[in-house]
């Protein structure tokens, strides 16, 4: 049995253009893994998670991890901030912010948040995965 899990990892200080570059990498990885059908959801998901780091994490430092799963992909964004912004139950249609996690929930198969080893949190999502860690 092959124990190798295809993955990509990047530690960075996120800026306003980081999500654009990470989307390109995610698109390339999914094409390489034969998962191009998942591109739109994965790109949107990673954009929202990186945007949340830029907006809400004081030092903007994070780690992005993209894992190939059986039939799908898992994307994790870890940062040092312990709090998670909860999706607004009812967001104002005119508001510029506050709908990212609601949108994430609408386009991915599952998502969640958990504590990060050493402090902070990991926000993750999966697309098209038949199985994977929760």
């Amino acid at each position: 049995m092959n124990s190798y899990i295809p993955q990509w990892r990047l530690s960075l200080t996120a800026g306003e253009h980081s999500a654009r570059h990470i989307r390109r990498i995610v698109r390339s990885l999914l094409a390489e893994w034969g998962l191009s059908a998942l591109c739109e959801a994965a790109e949107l998901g990673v954009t929202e998670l990186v945007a949340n780091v830029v907006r809400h994490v004081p030092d903007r430092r994070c780690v992005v991890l993209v894992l190939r799963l059986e039939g799908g992909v898992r994307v994790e964004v870890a940062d040092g901030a312990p709090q998670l912004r909860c999706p607004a139950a009812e967001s104002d249609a005119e508001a510029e912010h506050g709908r990212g996690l609601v949108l994430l929930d609408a386009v991915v198969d599952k998502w969640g948040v958990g504590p990060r080893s050493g402090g902070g949190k990991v926000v993750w999502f999966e697309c098209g995965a038949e199985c994977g860690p929760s």
Side-chain angles (χ1 to χ4, degrees):
M1 175 150 193
N2 184 357
S3 62
Y4 172 72
I5 299 173
Q7 61 181 294
W8 175 82
R9 178 185 174 100
L10 175 67
S11 296
L12 73 146
T13 301
E16 62 184 68
H17 300 293
S18 298
R20 176 180 51 177
H21 300 297
I22 294 169
R23 277 195 310 270
R24 289 180 183 157
I25 293 166
V26 167
R27 184 180 319 122
S28 176
L29 288 169
L30 292 176
E32 180 181 324
W33 295 339
L35 299 171
S36 293
L38 303 177
C39 276
E40 286 186 31
E43 288 181 50
L44 182 90
V46 77
T47 298
E48 291 303 326
L49 298 188
V50 171
N52 281 345
V53 170
V54 172
R55 286 186 195 112
H56 304 296
V57 176
D59 66 7
R60 293 185 171 187
R61 291 177 23 192
C62 66
V63 177
V64 179
L65 178 65
V66 182
L67 296 166
R68 169 75 162 92
L69 301 177
E70 185 70 32
V73 64
R74 178 181 175 105
V75 176
E76 299 180 358
V77 177
D79 64 58
Q83 72 280 5
L84 170 69
R85 300 260 181 209
C86 296
E90 293 182 26
S91 55
D92 180 354
E94 300 299 318
E96 291 185 29
H97 305 291
R99 294 185 300 267
L101 294 176
V102 173
L103 183 59
L104 180 70
D105 190 55
V107 300
V108 302
D109 294 320
K110 59 184 177 177
W111 72 276
V113 62
R116 178 183 185 192
S117 175
K121 67 181 171 302
V122 177
V123 184
W124 59 269
F125 67 85
E126 293 181 2
C127 298
E130 295 170 14
C131 62
S134 297

